[in-house]
Amino acid sequence: MAISKFNYNSFNVTPVAGRALAFDADADGFTTASGSSMILIKTLTASSSATLDFVDGTSDVVLDDTYPVYKFEFINIHAATDQADFNFQVNVAGASGFNETITSTHFGGYHRSGDGASSLGYQSGGHQAQGTSYQRIFADSNNGNTDSSSGHLYLFNPSSTTFVTHFMARTVGRGSDTSNASSTFYYTGGYVNATAAVDEVSFKMSSGDIDAGIIKLYGIADS
Amino acid sequence: MAISKLNFNSLNVTPSASSAIGFDSGADDLETGAGGGSMVFIKKLTASSSGTLSFVDGSSSVVLDNTYKEYVFIFNNLHSSSNTGLFQVNFSVDTGSNYNVVKTSTCIQAYHLEDDSEAALGYAGSYDLAQSANFLTLNFVSGTDNDESTSGVFTLFNPSSTTFVKHFISRVQGTEGSGYSMDFSVAGYGNTTSAIDAVQFKMSTGDIDAGTITLYGIA
């Protein structure tokens, strides 16, 4: 009987879970390879959610030494409450509560929709100096039906027990100024001042729920 | 004789080194490509008291040519051996013989001290370049305490172009020895229409004691 389908073990290569089939560096044999270095790990979709939490080992979330860099992407985060801030915090292995020590910078700019004003400046209301509060990454979200914020957050080597854990976020959205909405962006950078492994990340608004929106977690492989 | 294993040339596709095998856009044939995504790992260099870390096209499996239109370097926990070392980059158009491409750049810096006594945002004129072939600073001095380091992302656009100057965007987050959180955003261009085929990173003084720099191509 003719072979009509090749199964995974038909190829002259040792199967490795989750990897692609590829030609080797000499193009004269098979090997396994990562199809892409940016691997989707988990998508959380808000639905009047008080928090969206990514916890290593729970609900298929991987947040450990599998990847050296993790990237969260925020897509159309819609606040239930006008002028609420979009924030994050972390928890380290063996501890409880999202209350790790953070030192950070926070700056941004805006341009009002009526072209009335624009600005760039440091935002001390959103930075922390060895604080344990949730870290702001977008301020004053407008909660109109068409409004939201989007962006990304990098978390570098969260499993390290040698180095503090650096993060960098950049967000954009329609900020609320009660009477005059604006295109608003923020840069947030800093570090979790702990040498324990960060294995949980929590996102929430400063008041009210995350009414809607998506947060995706990716791992960025380095091999 | 029964087929026990399919070898590389058993498939109806031309082998291509290090490329994945997938279905084509019509889902009616096989083709080689990046596989399930567009961010492709190329090379990781790990510092170990390293004077420089260099990515040279064609050397040590590095690809830095017209294979990709965009290249991303990710810095992870770069630890400086000197508390006066600035993390820097330069480019080469002669496969690493000289790192001296003329650059014009901007730099904005945000910082915040752990004791909350200082915090600011500003243009950092000390760290920009104006038609200079010097190494370009990507972050302020990194502390040398065991838990201090520098991390970030550097993007180089279309380095193989022989038409356009070479744009780059960098953002680096670090810890400074006195207890500052430092956020450096650098952007600019290598003012050359020759193809850039090598990139070198180093500290202005001392070594890159530890850490990794990983190069990706964006397909």
Side-chain angles (χ1 to χ4, degrees):
Chain A
M1 187 181 78
I3 295 173
S4 59
K5 300 284 185 184
F6 294 124
N7 289 311
Y8 75 97
N9 56 0
S10 302
F11 297 90
N12 189 21
V13 64
T14 302
V16 178
R19 291 176 72 87
L21 181 65
F23 293 109
D24 66 14
D26 296 324
D28 60 359
F30 287 131
T31 187
T32 60
S34 175
S36 171
S37 294
M38 187 167 166
I39 311 296
L40 176 64
I41 297 171
K42 183 73 178 178
T43 300
L44 295 181
T45 301
S47 178
S48 300
S49 304
T51 66
L52 291 178
D53 298 341
F54 295 82
V55 177
D56 179 52
T58 300
S59 302
D60 299 323
V61 170
V62 175
L63 193 57
D64 57 13
D65 62 358
T66 302
Y67 300 101
V69 179
Y70 288 84
K71 184 179 185 182
F72 297 89
E73 292 199 346
F74 321 122
I75 302 163
N76 295 136
I77 301 297
H78 186 260
T81 302
D82 199 36
Q83 294 187 279
D85 302 335
F86 183 51
N87 302 326
F88 86 99
Q89 243 294 7
V90 304
N91 185 36
V92 299
S96 62
F98 291 101
N99 54 7
E100 301 304 328
T101 300
I102 289 174
T103 294
S104 61
T105 58
H106 185 65
F107 67 91
Y110 67 84
H111 183 204
R112 296 228 167 106
S113 55
D115 204 19
S118 59
S119 177
L120 169 68
Y122 192 86
Q123 304 288 324
S124 59
H127 71 185
Q128 296 199 69
Q130 299 294 85
T132 58
S133 299
Y134 271 67
Q135 174 63 48
R136 178 198 294 178
I137 49 180
F138 188 83
D140 292 339
S141 304
N142 195 328
N143 74 341
N145 288 340
T146 62
D147 301 327
S148 65
S149 61
S150 300
H152 63 249
L153 167 71
Y154 285 100
L155 200 59
F156 294 93
N157 206 11
S159 69
S160 173
T161 54
T162 301
F163 297 107
V164 301
T165 299
H166 292 291
F167 59 84
M168 300 191 312
R170 186 175 179 185
T171 55
V172 64
R174 193 177 188 206
S176 170
D177 192 14
T178 61
S179 61
N180 197 346
S182 56
S183 174
T184 305
F185 72 88
Y186 289 98
Y187 283 68
T188 308
Y191 50 90
V192 180
N193 200 355
T195 52
V198 171
D199 63 357
E200 301 179 19
V201 179
S202 174
F203 297 91
K204 72 173 187 178
M205 309 305 297
S206 58
S207 64
D209 291 337
I210 305 174
D211 184 53
I214 294 170
I215 303 179
K216 289 179 173 287
L217 170 61
Y218 296 88
I220 300 179
D222 67 351
S223 62
Chain B
M1 187 180 77
I3 295 174
S4 57
K5 294 288 180 184
L6 294 171
N7 286 312
F8 75 99
N9 54 0
S10 302
L11 303 179
N12 188 24
V13 62
T14 302
S16 173
S18 302
S19 293
I21 301 161
F23 294 107
D24 67 8
S25 58
D28 57 2
D29 209 341
L30 296 175
E31 65 177 6
T32 60
S38 297
M39 185 174 184
V40 180
F41 168 79
I42 297 173
K43 182 72 178 180
K44 178 171 74 172
L45 297 180
T46 301
S48 178
S49 301
S50 304
T52 61
L53 290 177
S54 303
F55 294 83
V56 180
D57 180 54
S59 175
S60 302
S61 305
V62 170
V63 175
L64 192 60
D65 58 14
N66 62 0
T67 302
Y68 303 103
K69 293 291 188 184
E70 179 180 348
Y71 289 84
V72 173
F73 299 85
I74 293 185
F75 317 128
N76 210 345
N77 292 142
L78 297 177
H79 187 260
S80 175
S81 68
S82 166
N83 61 9
T84 59
L86 301 164
F87 181 54
Q88 298 180 322
V89 66
N90 213 332
F91 310 117
S92 171
V93 296
D94 53 13
T95 55
S97 296
N98 298 280
Y99 290 95
N100 57 0
V101 168
V102 170
K103 297 171 291 299
T104 295
S105 65
T106 58
C107 178
I108 57 176
Q109 171 192 27
Y111 60 86
H112 188 200
L113 192 54
E114 286 185 359
D115 68 6
D116 207 20
S117 61
E118 295 180 39
L121 166 71
Y123 189 85
S126 298
Y127 304 111
D128 64 8
L129 295 178
Q131 294 298 90
S132 170
N134 292 340
F135 274 71
L136 173 65
T137 295
L138 300 179
N139 195 24
F140 194 62
V141 294
S142 179
T144 55
D145 290 352
N146 288 340
D147 65 349
E148 294 183 313
S149 66
T150 291
S151 298
V153 179
F154 181 95
T155 303
L156 180 62
F157 298 92
N158 205 9
S160 69
S161 172
T162 54
T163 302
F164 298 108
V165 301
K166 310 303 183 300
H167 294 122
F168 54 85
I169 295 173
S170 175
R171 188 171 176 210
V172 171
Q173 163 67 33
T175 47
E176 188 272 348
S178 303
Y180 287 93
S181 177
M182 287 282 181
D183 185 339
F184 259 54
S185 292
V186 173
Y189 54 90
N191 198 357
T192 177
T193 52
S194 298
I196 286 176
D197 56 6
V199 178
Q200 184 175 82
F201 300 95
K202 69 172 189 175
M203 295 293 178
S204 60
T205 60
D207 292 334
I208 305 175
D209 187 48
T212 63
I213 303 178
T214 308
L215 171 62
Y216 302 87
I218 307 299

